[in-house]
Amino acid sequence: MGAFVEDQLANVQPPRRGECFALAVDATARPYDLTPLAFGGVAVEGTAARRNETFVTLRALTGDVYVQFSPVTASDLDQTAVLAAGSALSYPNTHGFVIPAGQEMRVRLDRSRDRFVIVKTTTTATLFFRASSHPGAS
């Protein structure tokens, strides 16, 4: 018998009507509030005792998309920011992750922590976003 996270990972849900969106992305880092979205019909509960976690699939359709998730709204995502050679390792707020054009990334969101998605590109791009597992608490 596997863990709940393994069950979620193995049971990829189909793209359902009304549960996907394609987002135009430009060269400005923009935060988007995920809390109004009910993934798999389950909305975020602000005072939930257990974490509500869901896998989401993000696909960069027409250009590279830089992305990060955050508990707060922010617009400081910078794809050019790097730690200097020889510097101490740290987690700068400005760093994110790139999804190359035509590729996808599947991640498990903790809805109590990952409340905003911040995205940008170097020119213009489209980001496809969908909940890809059944929601659940752990």
Side-chain angles (χ1 to χ4, degrees):
M1 184 163 125
F4 182 75
V5 66
E6 292 170 329
D7 178 52
Q8 279 187 310
L9 181 63
N11 292 290
V12 179
Q13 303 293 298
R16 294 201 165 101
R17 183 174 188 266
E19 294 184 9
C20 308
F21 61 84
L23 179 64
V25 181
D26 62 16
T28 301
R30 298 181 192 276
Y32 294 93
D33 187 356
L34 297 172
T35 58
L37 301 177
F39 294 166
V42 177
V44 175
E45 297 176 16
T47 59
R50 299 186 311 168
R51 296 187 329 212
N52 181 303
E53 297 171 321
T54 304
F55 277 96
V56 295
T57 299
L58 297 89
R59 178 176 280 272
L61 297 178
T62 57
D64 295 351
V65 176
Y66 299 87
V67 63
Q68 64 178 210
F69 292 89
S70 175
V72 296
T73 185
S75 58
D76 55 0
L77 175 62
D78 180 1
Q79 77 278 4
T80 64
V82 296
L83 297 174
S87 67
L89 296 180
S90 65
Y91 290 127
N93 289 335
T94 56
H95 291 193
F97 199 80
V98 64
I99 306 171
Q103 295 188 30
E104 68 183 30
M105 177 174 70
R106 191 163 185 241
V107 294
R108 189 172 189 231
L109 298 186
D110 176 345
R111 302 291 311 273
S112 66
R113 180 177 180 191
D114 305 314
R115 301 176 77 78
F116 294 87
V117 61
I118 298 104
V119 296
K120 75 178 291 190
T121 188
T122 55
T123 55
T124 60
T126 301
L127 177 68
F128 181 75
F129 188 109
R130 75 180 188 93
S132 53
S133 75
H134 56 82
S138 61

